[in-house]
Amino acid sequence: MRSRGLKHLAAGALAIATTLAGLAGAQAESPFHTGVWQLDTAEGPRGLVVSDWLVFEEGLPKRWLYRRAGTNDENQFDFFTRTIGDNRYTPVGIRVYRTGEHTMKYTLAEKGKDPIEVSGQRLSIPNYKNSCLSVENKGDRLFGAWVGTEASSVKGLRLTASSLTVDGVKTDVTAEQVRVGRAGIAQNGKPIAFLTDAGGDYAVLQWFNDGVTLDQMRDTKREILDFKAEEILRWPQGTCDRQIASRLKAMK
């Protein structure tokens, strides 16, 4: 995002891809981009599913969104992106520009290529209290049982404030909320993982590399990008997948 693609962004041309407002932590309500959208592309309508912090692909969370500092105002939101499992930003930036209460311009800017901009219209409810894709208003659901997905080597996980059980193996830990929608997990005072709400029916277990400190785990301003592994989990009681499918049927 540092080449001419970024210059195009500043000029106002970025759209199509992935969305997370992670660096500054979750807001008092979900960001404008959270929801189910119809993108009007040259090839025809295309669905876009975005939680507060992630863009979904093929039904699962796929790309983290990190808001670019100093580039956001009331209507414009610029993001760096990172694919789950990668240890650095991808060379693709995204801009969401609000054009109305339920409409936007969505721009995808890939390094070295001309940005692609399309219009989008919301198919879902914008109110965060009614948005299943929001990480807000979820209470303590991180502390409970999760099951693995096809994008995970973990079959099952249960987290409490004092224990982490992965595939039947229980470990004594301390778990604390380090931001809305994210629990930090430590063993004997040593950070070992995040469990991060991905929005929708999903969470991501993020195993730390060696050397992460408690201060780094608790830091809400600097993101950790490099993990040993990131495992996508599903909340068994979730109904968001069904709601998303229903919304996408409304595309014209």
Side-chain angles (χ1 to χ4, degrees):
M1 282 203 42
R2 281 191 228 221
S3 62
R4 68 181 188 140
L6 192 52
K7 294 177 184 175
H8 279 79
L9 266 176
L14 182 83
I16 279 186
T18 69
T19 322
L20 156 81
L23 275 178
Q27 308 288 308
E29 59 183 77
S30 285
F32 172 77
H33 63 258
T34 302
V36 182
W37 296 84
Q38 174 179 315
L39 299 182
D40 297 317
T41 74
E43 294 76 31
R46 173 177 161 243
L48 173 71
V49 179
V50 185
S51 70
D52 286 7
W53 298 342
L54 281 151
V55 175
F56 282 53
E57 291 185 11
E58 298 180 354
L60 292 176
K62 178 71 173 180
R63 302 185 188 280
W64 292 102
L65 300 171
Y66 303 94
R67 189 176 293 179
R68 284 186 60 221
T71 61
N72 307 288
D73 58 28
E74 184 178 352
N75 296 313
Q76 179 175 306
F77 311 93
D78 292 350
F79 301 95
F80 298 111
T81 66
R82 179 178 69 84
T83 302
I84 285 179
D86 287 353
N87 63 358
R88 64 190 69 187
Y89 293 126
T90 56
V92 177
I94 290 172
R95 169 172 290 166
V96 171
Y97 191 87
R98 186 201 313 250
T99 57
E101 185 178 359
H102 303 289
T103 58
M104 68 172 173
K105 293 290 186 185
Y106 190 64
T107 306
L108 176 65
E110 185 172 354
K111 185 176 180 180
K113 297 184 180 180
D114 290 334
I116 301 169
E117 180 182 275
V118 298
S119 60
Q121 49 191 305
R122 184 185 295 280
L123 301 174
S124 60
I125 298 169
N127 186 317
Y128 80 97
K129 289 184 179 178
N130 294 316
S131 171
C132 69
L133 283 160
S134 171
V135 304
E136 295 282 351
N137 206 43
K138 295 288 175 65
D140 295 326
R141 83 164 183 169
L142 285 175
F143 294 90
W146 298 83
V147 295
T149 66
E150 60 264 35
S152 171
S153 63
V154 171
K155 293 184 174 61
L157 175 148
R158 178 180 290 275
L159 179 67
T160 73
S162 59
S163 69
L164 173 67
T165 304
V166 178
D167 293 341
V169 179
K170 185 176 180 179
T171 304
D172 292 334
V173 300
T174 55
E176 61 184 88
Q177 180 174 284
V178 294
R179 65 169 60 163
V180 173
R182 173 171 283 175
I185 305 167
Q187 182 182 16
N188 297 324
K190 177 183 175 182
I192 59 172
F194 282 141
L195 185 60
T196 301
D197 197 321
D201 296 335
Y202 299 95
V204 182
L205 176 67
Q206 300 172 291
W207 293 112
F208 294 139
N209 287 309
D210 295 339
V212 173
T213 67
L214 287 171
D215 284 345
Q216 289 172 318
M217 183 183 80
R218 293 166 177 160
D219 193 337
T220 60
K221 297 194 181 201
R222 291 180 61 88
E223 286 285 340
I224 298 171
L225 303 180
D226 189 10
F227 298 92
K228 283 182 182 176
E230 292 183 278
E231 309 274 4
I232 302 174
L233 308 172
R234 190 178 190 279
W235 190 43
Q237 296 97 316
T239 63
C240 196
D241 283 347
R242 186 168 67 247
Q243 295 178 53
I244 291 169
S246 174
R247 296 291 179 185
L248 289 173
K249 285 181 181 177
M251 281 199 301
K252 302 174 185 178

